[in-house]
Amino acid sequence: MRRLLTFLTLALTASLGGCYISETPLVGAGDAVFPYETISYRETDGDEIMTMVREGDAYVMRKEGEPGQLELRFKDLGDNLYLAQMTGEQDGKPAILYSVVKADWNKKTVDSYKAVADMAEEGPGLRKCGDNALCIDDLDRYIALAREAVSGGEPVASYEIVEAK
């Protein structure tokens, strides 16, 4: 998972301490939304531009010099809030990670919440799996925690949309 996390560090947040994951995808092709065909963005305090391109039923990201690719699906949660599911491969096995993002399309900004697992949240619907990951068994619980974070907390990371078309 370390190689995937290194890639996700650029795509999602500058410092993943642990992850929210699932053993099977929680956002299916039928649930996926695509606000744009292509979205280019960078961390608010960064220079590197990342681009997501819609290919079929997912956005695809590739990092030059890295094998494989990362697929992203977004599920609309209302009020410009999206469940982000990132799928890649690590050590020949699928790895599925989550975040909730809040978009402000007018300001061209996106904030990421609940990308870094809070191990204190382990309990019904969120079980410890691995040293520092929580498996999402109850998506509604994870989304409720994310909504709390959005309404009263600081984002894990913030992004500027450079171009969306």
Side-chain angles (χ1 to χ4, degrees):
M1 188 179 252
R2 182 58 39 203
R3 174 183 268 158
L4 179 61
L5 290 181
T6 301
F7 186 64
L8 285 176
T9 297
L10 296 172
L12 180 62
T13 179
S15 58
L16 284 177
C19 304
Y20 292 95
I21 66 174
S22 68
E23 295 168 344
T24 59
L26 301 175
V27 180
D31 294 325
V33 296
F34 303 92
Y36 296 95
E37 291 297 309
T38 302
I39 302 173
S40 296
Y41 65 95
R42 70 173 154 235
E43 274 196 77
T44 302
D45 58 354
D47 293 326
E48 184 173 3
I49 295 175
M50 301 294 291
T51 300
M52 300 183 301
V53 178
R54 182 177 180 182
E55 290 185 13
D57 61 8
Y59 284 109
V60 174
M61 293 178 62
R62 294 175 187 87
K63 183 167 180 354
E64 195 168 317
E66 290 283 328
Q69 66 185 20
L70 181 67
E71 290 187 0
L72 294 98
R73 286 187 179 154
F74 295 95
K75 179 178 181 176
D76 191 346
L77 302 176
D79 298 322
N80 289 321
L81 197 63
Y82 300 88
L83 174 65
Q85 172 182 279
M86 296 137 296
T87 305
E89 190 174 289
Q90 180 60 33
D91 299 326
K93 298 178 186 176
I96 309 169
L97 292 83
Y98 295 88
S99 174
V100 171
V101 296
K102 176 76 173 174
D104 186 327
W105 299 114
N106 293 325
K107 292 182 180 177
K108 296 186 176 184
T109 60
V110 176
D111 292 323
S112 175
Y113 297 85
K114 287 297 173 194
V116 178
D118 179 350
M119 300 310 286
E121 294 172 346
E122 179 183 9
L126 294 172
R127 67 181 154 83
K128 185 177 179 183
C129 48
D131 291 333
N132 59 355
L134 289 176
C135 283
I136 301 170
D137 294 323
D138 180 350
L139 183 56
D140 290 336
R141 176 148 187 256
Y142 173 73
I143 291 171
L145 290 168
R147 286 185 189 280
E148 287 176 23
V150 169
S151 68
E154 291 293 316
V156 173
S158 295
Y159 303 94
E160 170 192 348
I161 299 171
V162 176
E163 181 178 47
K165 53 185 177 179

